[in-house]
Amino acid sequence: MAKYVVRRSGVLKGDITASGSKNAVLPLMAASLLTKEKCRINDTPELRDVEVLCCILEDIGGKIHFDKEQKSLEIETPEITAEGAAPHLAGRMRASVLVLGPLLARTGKAVVALPGGCAIGARPIDLHLKGLEAMGARVKTFQRDGFDFVEACADELTGCEIYLDFPSVGATQNLIMAAALAKGTTLIRNAAEEPEIVDLANFLNKMGARVKGAGTDNVRIDGVKSLHGTEHTVIPDRIEAGTFMVAAAISGGDLTIHNTVASHLTPITAKLRECGVDVFEGEDFIRVDARGKSLKAVNIKTLPYPGFPTDMQAQFMALLAVAKGKGNVNETVFENRFMHIDELRKMGADITYADRKATIIGTQALHGARVKATDLRAGAALVLAGLVAEGTTEVSQIYYIERGYEKFVEKMQSIGADIEYVEE
Ligand code: EPZ
């Protein structure tokens, strides 16, 4: 098994570029199933999750060409040759459930192996299924060869009004994709508002769909008969960019992160400024200057967008572990997203928690330790802590990090981080 070896590094400084968004490109790839024609997605990041979804789409009949030099991914599915995502693949990635809506809309049937829960929670898909049933699908779950599957069938999907009990990102995406080819109009109330929803709506509308209101809690989709191929550049990865912003802050550095959309980073910018760090928002870059600043502890409450993103919670906990004073973190989105606390404690962090609330007392005495990534953002947080801890930190289970951070080691080395990839 491989690991990252991270040593105390000086201030991080210079320029770094964010890749295309993992959480935007995965739904775009699934949406390409809605047409027989070719779709091209530019600025596609080279990530394990993208590779796995490419395999799933190929299993379903997709012809994939991923030009990694050009970062352009072409998908063409002239005919669907299988009914869904095989367990050996779907089980490896949550986002495999995103093929459910488009497959059902395209063929009238979809079967997807259910990836179990993961470190951060049970990850149910009840809201996805409830919405598809409201559109006329017959849904059942069953077990085969020890795997859990969900099957959805519908001769025709009919538009309707759907209220989401929780603004689930995945459920909103699946239902928008299913509604794109449904008969009539679908209204999704209490929809998720993330930028990745807006990017999916823009992609679908370029394919000939009629999606309005993406980015608000009310999305209207007027179904159309068919969709055509298109070309699209995926939005930048706001969580990768946010991770680099925290890297600048925690190291007292001065970093300019290119390929960013400032409005996607507002909660992170606001919280870093509250910590006492200077943040300058450019047209397509953001600069974080923490030189000579002493970090002040802040309180974080994760919420659906535009609230503070749960995907930045672990990274900010690493920051709070070395900031001055006491910070409180309330994780309201996932029921079990504090697995990184035990790992940070191994490094000397002073963190207590109960249920979904944690209290962090900052200390300058973090020390290196052998720790393990428990999800991709927790893994990134442990690397950030390792940059300022005394001595050497070894982060194992780095396959989590490689799921969502393109060329993470090279990018961090380019701004002065003392980090290396080591095969154990
Ligand atoms: C997406 O996951 C992201 N993944 C996650 O990023 C992100 O943390 C999450 O949205 C929230 O922003 C991708 O986009 C591939 P949800 P998703 O459905 O769609 C509950 C990362 O680090 N829920 O909004 O699975 C669920 O249990 C990953 O890049 C139901 O109860 O998130 C959770 O508590 C981690 N029933 C909450 O909603 C459902 O049917 C948010 O889940 C669906 C969700």
Side-chain angles (χ1 to χ4, degrees):
M1 299 288 273
K3 63 188 176 186
Y4 290 153
V5 175
V6 187
R7 294 180 185 83
R8 187 185 189 88
S9 307
V11 298
L12 301 187
K13 53 182 181 297
D15 295 77
I16 198 165
T17 301
S19 301
S21 163
K22 165 179 90 82
N23 291 350
V25 77
L26 296 173
L28 300 187
M29 292 168 68
S32 71
L33 289 172
L34 289 165
T35 178
K36 296 176 186 297
E37 298 181 12
K38 185 184 289 185
C39 291
R40 175 182 293 155
I41 305 169
N42 300 316
D43 209 14
T44 296
E46 202 177 326
L47 298 170
R48 185 187 299 270
D49 274 11
V50 170
E51 305 286 348
V52 171
L53 191 52
C54 281
C55 294
I56 289 173
L57 295 177
E58 280 175 329
D59 268 9
I60 297 174
K63 297 178 176 17
I64 307 266
H65 175 62
F66 189 2
D67 180 337
K68 293 178 182 173
E69 285 305 304
Q70 296 300 318
K71 293 185 171 300
S72 99
L73 175 67
E74 284 182 355
I75 306 171
E76 186 176 8
T77 316
E79 62 169 302
I80 303 287
T81 58
E83 56 187 17
H88 69 288
L89 291 167
R92 289 172 55 190
M93 184 184 64
R94 294 285 317 151
S96 52
V97 76
L98 291 175
V99 304
L100 201 55
L103 258 189
L104 179 64
R106 170 93 182 257
T107 67
K109 179 173 182 182
V111 178
V112 175
L114 285 184
C118 54
I120 61 179
R123 311 295 292 275
I125 62 165
D126 56 306
L127 299 178
H128 300 237
L129 303 180
K130 194 170 147 191
L132 293 175
E133 285 176 317
M135 295 169 78
R138 295 179 308 287
V139 170
K140 69 175 185 181
T141 54
F142 60 94
Q143 276 226 338
R144 188 168 67 200
D145 308 331
F147 285 97
D148 290 325
F149 287 84
V150 63
E151 176 189 288
C153 300
D155 302 332
E156 183 174 61
L157 290 173
T158 307
C160 62
E161 179 161 339
I162 299 165
Y163 173 80
L164 291 179
D165 297 0
F166 182 90
S168 154
V169 173
T172 303
Q173 291 167 335
N174 240 332
L175 296 174
I176 288 175
M177 290 189 281
L181 292 179
K183 185 161 70 63
T185 297
T186 300
L187 291 173
I188 304 176
R189 305 260 189 239
N190 197 29
E193 304 177 25
E194 274 71 2
E196 293 77 27
I197 309 279
V198 176
D199 206 33
L200 173 63
N202 291 339
F203 183 72
L204 288 169
N205 287 341
K206 285 161 84 170
M207 293 170 75
R210 296 170 59 196
V211 183
K212 294 185 184 66
T216 75
D217 59 352
N218 279 322
V219 182
R220 174 192 170 109
I221 306 101
D222 294 305
V224 295
K225 279 260 171 287
S226 67
L227 296 176
H228 51 75
T230 191
E231 176 163 356
H232 183 79
T233 299
V234 69
I235 55 171
D237 195 312
R238 61 191 169 100
I239 305 301
E240 185 197 17
T243 304
F244 294 139
M245 291 170 74
V246 173
I250 201 170
S251 68
D254 179 7
L255 269 188
T256 300
I257 300 119
H258 298 274
N259 191 34
T260 53
V261 177
S263 62
H264 293 172
L265 296 163
T266 305
I268 299 149
T269 298
K271 282 296 168 182
L272 286 180
R273 285 174 174 161
E274 202 182 319
C275 286
V277 169
D278 289 336
V279 182
F280 175 79
E281 297 172 313
E283 184 59 36
D284 60 355
F285 67 89
I286 200 156
R287 180 177 173 195
V288 177
D289 184 359
R291 289 172 300 172
K293 309 279 185 193
S294 67
L295 296 173
K296 203 167 60 62
V298 294
N299 297 328
I300 302 283
K301 179 174 183 177
T302 68
L303 288 166
Y305 194 90
F308 187 92
T310 173
D311 292 347
M312 283 299 304
Q313 180 254 105
Q315 299 92 314
F316 258 78
M317 200 175 275
L319 187 66
L320 293 174
V322 297
K324 267 195 184 31
K326 180 172 86 166
N328 298 301
V329 173
N330 182 0
E331 171 55 63
T332 74
V333 176
F334 286 103
E335 73 270 22
N336 186 31
R337 203 167 195 176
F338 279 161
M339 307 281 274
H340 43 281
I341 290 179
D342 287 346
E343 303 307 308
L344 286 168
R345 279 173 167 167
K346 289 176 188 170
M347 300 175 73
D350 179 352
I351 308 175
T352 53
Y353 74 103
D355 194 23
R356 297 189 181 197
K357 291 185 176 171
T359 300
I360 304 97
I361 311 283
T363 165
Q364 289 308 311
L366 283 195
H367 53 77
R370 283 207 170 92
V371 292
K372 62 180 187 300
T374 47
D375 78 73
L376 71 157
R377 310 305 174 187
L382 293 169
V383 170
L384 297 182
L387 296 175
V388 295
E390 200 51 54
T392 301
T393 300
E394 296 186 2
V395 183
S396 59
Q397 300 186 169
I398 57 170
Y399 49 83
Y400 278 115
I401 303 175
E402 292 174 342
R403 285 185 51 192
Y405 287 92
E406 186 181 47
K407 298 187 172 55
F408 188 60
V409 171
E410 294 88 324
K411 287 191 180 185
M412 292 299 283
Q413 287 174 340
S414 74
I415 52 175
D418 184 345
I419 176 174
E420 54 183 325
Y421 171 96
V422 174
E423 278 290 352
E424 276 207 291

